[in-house]
Amino acid sequence: RERARESERERERPSSSERPGAMAAAAASPSPPSVTEHVDIVYDKRHGGRLDVYVPPPPAGRAREPSPPPLAPCVVFIHGGGWKRFSKRSRLTGLHQNVGRALAAKGIVTFVPDYRLTTPAISQLAFGYTLVLGLAALLLAALLPPARTWSTTVTTILLSLVSAYIRRSLFPGVQHPAHTEDIASAVAWVSQHAHRYGGDTSRITLVGHSAGAHIAGLLLVEPGYLATAGAPSIENYVGFVGISGPYSANILSNNVLTRALYMYPVFGVDPIKWPMAFPVERIEERKGLKEGKLKTPPVLLINVEHDWGLEAHADAFDTALANVGVSSERVTVKGLNHLNAIASIGKKGHRAENVIALVSDWAKKCSLSPDRHRLNNNDVHKKQI
């Protein structure tokens, strides 16, 4: 009976999580602060340009201090997509949000802007439409045997071509240099407003992936874009990182497929104008005109193991920069391809974390260097990780 009464009293006692002391302790130990996101901030009213801002959590021990934390280094991340697709954030997949969040988690205020895009070529649109309508036709044929005819196939292809032509005619998008002009405007906005989000406007690093690396590369070597946008000249930024970028017109236009997919729709039908739309050829023209050495922030060029031949672009860019007195660091990250190098950032244990570590380390290293332009004055370094 005594054991029964003791057991009854034990059941009536409050559990440890219900006791006032435990509740007070829980209230006194809030969850660690996370990255703050500000979305769809207009940086260009004329063309509707918007960007997202990712603000790091306050340093440990400062969350309750009344004084603001010191200003943090900044990154402007320019997304890729062949100048024709993707955006600053994907609500479905989280693409490019993951980059902003990962860099902010490492203490960097990160700005991810949108820019106007080119509508894909008719052939590219028609191919995509044919795949979608072809699947619909196969489903229809499975349900309705009379639809299993050649006329269904021909109708599918014709409908795809007509749809592609209509879309390209009604929504042509933009061509070069609109993409770069938009990003120059975004960089100008960041240079004026980064302090509002805890960013140091004197410690901005430009980072681009794929087509975004091409755009960032043009800002690096062609001063007119930043000057027209009202942004500080390129030597006022602390770092540059190009990830898997197409930097050379001569290389990108050396086969029929890339000319059809990229050169004609994005850069126009006149091949004579293509070279001045790419960093490598722009540098070569600068050298020919004897415009002198470039004054740039430290340059890091990143490639991945399976990079669709873009290593050749980095080689050409590296050589062109060296010819005008700029040396660059080179890194190849093994075990990644052109897509998952960015798409898999944020996945714990994935090799894409090496890419974000390189970017954040470079931005911080350049921000702390007392002499930014001497950081890379040694010979070019190439390494693999």
Side-chain angles (χ1 to χ4, degrees), residues 132-148:
V132 175
L133 294 176
L135 290 174
L138 287 174
L139 180 60
L140 180 65
L143 298 175
L144 300 173
R148 300 172 187 172

Side-chain angles (χ1 to χ4, degrees), residues 13-358:
R13 290 174 186 164
S15 65
S16 60
S17 61
E18 295 172 337
R19 293 170 189 165
M23 295 176 67
S29 303
S31 59
S34 58
V35 171
T36 302
E37 301 180 22
H38 305 271
V39 301
D40 291 333
I41 300 170
V42 176
Y43 71 80
D44 182 1
K45 293 182 180 179
R46 180 183 175 188
H47 298 117
R50 297 172 182 269
L51 55 76
D52 296 341
V53 187
Y54 299 83
V55 181
R62 294 194 61 96
R64 293 178 169 271
E65 292 186 17
S67 60
L71 296 178
C74 302
V75 158
V76 178
F77 176 76
I78 309 161
H79 71 80
W83 305 276
K84 295 176 291 186
R85 61 182 68 84
F86 299 146
S87 65
K88 59 185 174 60
R89 64 168 42 218
S90 169
R91 301 186 189 281
L92 180 63
T93 65
L95 183 64
H96 302 136
Q97 293 162 278
N98 60 333
V99 178
R101 290 169 178 169
L103 286 173
K106 292 182 177 293
I108 298 172
V109 180
T110 307
F111 301 83
V112 185
D114 263 338
Y115 52 92
R116 289 172 290 166
L117 301 175
T118 300
T119 299
I122 291 177
S123 58
Q124 191 173 2
L125 288 171
F127 178 76
Y129 291 153
T130 300
L131 290 178
V132 175
L133 294 176
L135 290 174
L138 287 174
L139 180 60
L140 180 65
L143 298 175
L144 300 173
R148 300 172 187 172
T149 63
W150 282 105
S151 61
T152 302
T153 303
V154 173
T155 301
T156 299
I157 295 174
L158 289 176
L159 187 57
S160 299
L161 288 170
V162 170
S163 301
Y165 179 80
I166 291 174
R167 180 182 169 186
R168 193 75 168 81
S169 301
L170 295 179
F171 306 102
V174 298
Q175 287 187 315
H176 174 81
H179 322 86
T180 308
E181 291 170 346
D182 285 356
I183 293 301
S185 296
V187 172
W189 188 94
V190 171
S191 299
Q192 297 168 7
H193 299 91
H195 64 278
R196 297 182 180 180
Y197 303 94
D200 189 341
T201 56
S202 68
R203 295 193 290 161
I204 299 174
T205 297
L206 304 182
V207 181
H209 171 249
S210 195
H214 160 267
I215 294 170
L218 280 176
L219 298 184
L220 185 75
V221 305
E222 177 49 69
Y225 290 111
L226 293 174
T228 301
S233 56
I234 191 63
E235 62 265 26
N236 291 286
Y237 301 91
V238 299
F240 171 92
V241 182
I243 308 169
S244 304
Y247 306 111
S248 170
N250 292 334
I251 298 175
L252 193 62
S253 62
N254 66 0
N255 67 70
V256 174
L257 182 61
T258 54
R259 285 198 296 272
L261 292 179
Y262 301 112
M263 302 306 292
Y264 292 125
V266 178
F267 300 98
V269 296
D270 186 359
I272 295 177
K273 296 180 180 179
W274 293 347
M276 292 305 97
F278 283 78
V280 170
E281 287 76 16
R282 178 64 188 93
I283 292 175
E284 291 173 351
E285 183 198 46
R286 178 188 183 94
K287 184 183 178 185
L289 295 176
K290 298 182 179 179
E291 296 180 16
K293 292 186 177 181
L294 276 175
K295 293 182 179 180
T296 72
V299 175
L300 172 64
L301 301 178
I302 300 174
N303 287 97
V304 294
E305 185 175 5
H306 307 288
D307 219 358
W308 300 353
L310 290 166
E311 302 90 344
H313 286 265
D315 290 339
F317 195 22
D318 176 35
T319 300
L321 287 169
N323 287 337
V324 288
V326 178
S327 59
S328 59
E329 298 277 354
R330 297 284 304 279
V331 180
T332 299
V333 184
K334 303 183 73 174
L336 294 174
N337 61 51
H338 187 75
L339 298 178
N340 69 6
I342 295 298
S344 296
I345 287 173
K347 295 181 181 179
K348 190 174 181 180
H350 198 282
R351 290 195 61 82
E353 293 297 285
N354 289 325
V355 175
I356 213 69
L358 286 167

